[in-house]
Amino acid sequence: MNFNILLDAKGHFVFASKHFENWTGLSFNEFKGRHIKNYIRSAHLRELELFIERCNTEEDSFELHRAVFTAPDGSLKWTDITFTFINGADAQLQLMVSIHVIDERSRAEIDLTLHAHAAFFARHPYGIIHLDRQGRVANVNQQLHTDSGYDLFHLQQVQLLDLVIKKHRFEVLKRFTEATKNAQSSTFDIQVLTARKQPLHINLTIVPVVHKGITLELYLEIKNITQHIALQQDLKKLSLVADKATNGVAVLDRQFKIELINDGFTHMSGYTQADAIGKSLLSLLSMESDDSPEAQQLQQDLCKGTAQEQEIMCYKKDGTIYWNLVKQTPVMNEQGEMEMCITVHTDITEKKKTEMELRLLADDLYRQNKELHQFAYIVSHNLRSPVANIVGLANLLELFKDDADTQNQTLQELTKSVNNLDTVIKDLSYILTVNNASKELLKEPVIIQDLLQQVLVDLQPQILMTDAEITIPSKPLVMRTNRAYIYSIFFNLISNAIKYKSHIKPYIKIDFYMTEAHHVIYVADNGKGIDLEKHSHDLFKPYKRFDFKVEGKGLGLFLVKSHVEALGGSLTVKSELSKGSTFYIKLPFA
């Protein structure tokens, strides 16, 4: 439905059509001479007033969308209204007003929007004041009444500026002027008086609603920060105490960002206030992300009010590593939320060094004890036989000293036994050398492909004899390690793979991959394989052999494992009978 009315240049009713009278249910005489703004409710009335004041026939029309027309009887009607200046009779300037009535469906949509706006307004977690274009209080929400004690009626009876503590009034007036004249939003902290005349710290945000450069209304968001200010004051007192403490202290905000550090923290880490404020404690000291599952769990526990304690390897500003015992205590507010977190830092580097030395000592003692057991086995089994033979043969020499033939044969056997004893003693000496050399190993850059080529050259006779096919890594690998030990590891594993081949042509593959902190090199073959269920316990012990059809001493895998461990690594194996074996050498990055 559409119809027109005519206003004078000041906005007063001059003429209305019968359609208008029928729509309102009132005669024109009840409108005649009255101003149009008395019947329209819209957020843009201020713009309409300015449009009328300009009285410019060359200016484009002015439109009010979704305006509420209020009839004298109080009925409300949703409309879209267009205002246009025209030259009327006797060249008098007049306003032509075209009114389009919004249908019921559109009205329902508008009502839904208004209800949603009202629900948002009522449920906002902070206090809200709605000011109209004249700066009058149009509405407030329940949270404002909860925080300040003021309701809509009280605020409509007073000047808002009178509620502001005197020292803040100029700042408030300045910000309101910026919002109304320059359409600038702003946020700042002030103090106001509550309905009980008590001071209240608030964070005030002024949000102007602007259309075509003109401020039509204002929304004030009022956040009660009294408790936060009190905590800030406590924080200042804490900082005075913290500066006297020898331990490092860092105070974190709700987002776990650093708000304050003391001199002890700076002395321990090298980071100053300028370096630390606003940074994440974890990323600053340990270069780890707050997004890791462990960090997220820690923050969740702190937010629940649970104090935490952890030992962290940290980095000073100059890159020096130190160990830090961090005790974190959350400070909770009245709502059970974490307001801040106080962290106390203790340098435990010397303690960790002592622990590591004790651990190394314990590991060394364990290793030596293990070696003693191995040597006890070697002495009891490997030395007993040649010594017993020597004693027996010496007795034979005494008994048959007059029998030249027996003497010669006995001396030959005695020589063999002495040589066997010498071999065992040399083996023992070599084993001792391997086990005691790990702390003094000379390490250098080694190109693994070149070293493997050298091993294959040295094993050329065995490779040709068995027609073995051996592949080495195509990707280059350079490691800082001990050349002799790496050579021995590959020599023994490849020679064993050839020696213990199956009935088919030997195929041996050597390759590698990397983890976060290790090189993993593997040597795989298609040989006889090992029954690990039966022999895994003895696989890497000295003088243990599992295939007596092949010549050997049983020292190869023992030496491989000893060399790998001397380099700080580990050796594992996967194997099945008749399916071959794969040995995995895991060595740390140098």
Side-chain angles (χ1 to χ4, degrees), residues 175-232:
R175 299 297 184 99
F176 266 88
T177 302
E178 291 173 348
T180 53
K181 293 191 177 299
N182 303 325
Q184 291 182 2
S185 299
S186 60
T187 299
F188 53 104
D189 295 344
I190 60 171
Q191 270 186 293
V192 298
L193 292 175
T194 67
R196 295 184 177 183
K197 306 304 179 185
Q198 297 296 318
L200 179 70
H201 290 276
I202 67 168
N203 174 260
L204 176 62
T205 300
I206 304 174
V207 181
V209 177
V210 181
H211 181 69
K212 293 184 178 179
I214 299 174
T215 299
L216 304 176
E217 55 188 350
L218 297 172
Y219 282 89
L220 312 182
E221 180 189 83
I222 298 163
K223 180 181 178 183
N224 183 354
I225 59 170
T226 300
Q227 191 173 54
H228 179 72
I229 294 296
L231 286 169
Q232 287 290 332

Side-chain angles (χ1 to χ4, degrees), residues 240-492:
L240 294 175
V241 177
D243 282 338
K244 304 298 181 183
T246 56
N247 286 23
V249 177
V251 179
L252 315 182
D253 62 16
R254 289 183 175 184
Q255 285 72 45
F256 297 95
K257 305 299 183 185
I258 298 173
E259 278 190 318
L260 170 82
I261 62 172
N262 72 338
D263 292 340
F265 184 94
T266 299
H267 179 73
M268 183 183 301
S269 67
Y271 290 106
T272 63
Q273 292 272 2
D275 298 324
I277 301 303
K279 302 288 180 58
S280 159
L281 180 67
L282 189 63
S283 60
L284 182 72
L285 295 182
S286 65
M287 301 180 186
E288 292 184 11
S289 171
D290 284 337
D291 297 330
S292 68
E294 296 81 6
Q296 291 290 315
Q297 183 60 52
L298 177 73
Q299 292 181 3
Q300 289 175 17
D301 291 339
L302 287 169
C303 288
K304 294 175 183 176
T306 305
Q308 301 292 316
E309 182 176 314
Q310 57 184 161
E311 295 180 355
I312 310 174
M313 188 179 73
C314 298
Y315 295 87
K316 295 185 180 183
K317 188 177 179 179
D318 63 5
T320 305
I321 294 174
Y322 71 102
W323 280 92
N324 188 0
L325 173 63
V326 184
K327 296 181 180 180
Q328 305 182 66
T329 305
V331 178
M332 314 302 285
N333 61 24
E334 293 176 355
Q335 288 74 41
E337 301 169 338
M338 192 192 82
E339 193 68 31
M340 66 176 69
C341 180
I342 300 171
T343 66
V344 179
H345 303 249
T346 305
D347 190 332
I348 57 170
T349 305
E350 291 302 319
K351 174 176 172 285
K352 295 297 289 187
K353 283 182 179 178
T354 303
E355 288 178 358
M356 290 177 185
E357 288 172 358
L358 289 173
R359 190 178 299 115
L360 288 173
L361 180 60
D363 291 343
D364 195 45
L365 288 172
Y366 173 78
R367 180 182 60 80
Q368 290 184 21
N369 188 53
K370 183 178 177 182
E371 290 172 2
L372 285 173
H373 282 290
Q374 290 177 344
F375 275 82
Y377 172 85
I378 294 170
V379 169
S380 62
H381 291 77
N382 295 67
L383 289 180
R384 181 182 299 171
S385 177
V387 169
N389 285 340
I390 290 170
V391 172
L393 291 169
N395 290 333
L396 284 177
L397 286 173
E398 182 64 29
L399 289 173
F400 297 96
K401 59 184 177 182
D402 297 329
D403 186 341
D405 292 337
T406 303
Q407 284 269 328
N408 289 333
Q409 187 176 356
T410 302
L411 285 171
Q412 290 176 6
E413 294 299 326
L414 183 60
T415 301
K416 289 181 181 178
S417 296
V418 170
N419 288 334
N420 288 339
L421 179 61
D422 182 59
T423 299
V424 173
I425 292 172
K426 286 179 179 178
D427 289 342
L428 288 173
S429 177
Y430 185 67
I431 291 169
L432 281 171
T433 301
V434 170
N435 288 338
N436 292 326
S438 60
K439 295 181 181 179
E440 304 172 0
L441 283 177
L442 174 65
K443 293 187 178 181
E444 59 183 301
V446 176
I447 301 173
I448 297 302
Q449 283 81 357
D450 292 351
L451 185 137
L452 282 170
Q453 291 291 356
Q454 182 184 342
V455 171
L456 298 183
V457 168
D458 293 342
L459 288 173
Q460 195 67 15
Q462 294 94 313
I463 294 171
L464 293 174
M465 188 179 297
T466 58
D467 194 25
E469 181 181 346
I470 302 174
T471 63
I472 64 174
S474 57
K475 297 176 291 184
L477 174 61
V478 179
M479 297 173 58
R480 185 171 180 80
T481 186
N482 181 270
R483 180 180 296 275
Y485 276 20
I486 287 291
Y487 175 91
S488 175
I489 290 167
F490 286 126
F491 186 92
N492 278 289

Side-chain angles (χ1 to χ4, degrees), residues 519-559:
H519 297 288
V520 181
I521 306 172
Y522 60 89
V523 180
D525 66 59
N526 63 345
K528 293 180 178 180
I530 305 167
D531 187 349
L532 292 179
E533 290 187 7
K534 185 176 180 181
H535 300 302
S536 61
H537 185 68
D538 295 324
L539 187 60
F540 298 111
K541 290 182 178 179
Y543 296 107
K544 288 294 182 180
R545 298 177 59 204
F546 312 111
D547 186 348
F548 292 94
K549 296 178 181 178
V550 179
E551 184 180 349
K553 295 181 182 179
L555 282 177
L557 290 181
F558 168 77
L559 292 175

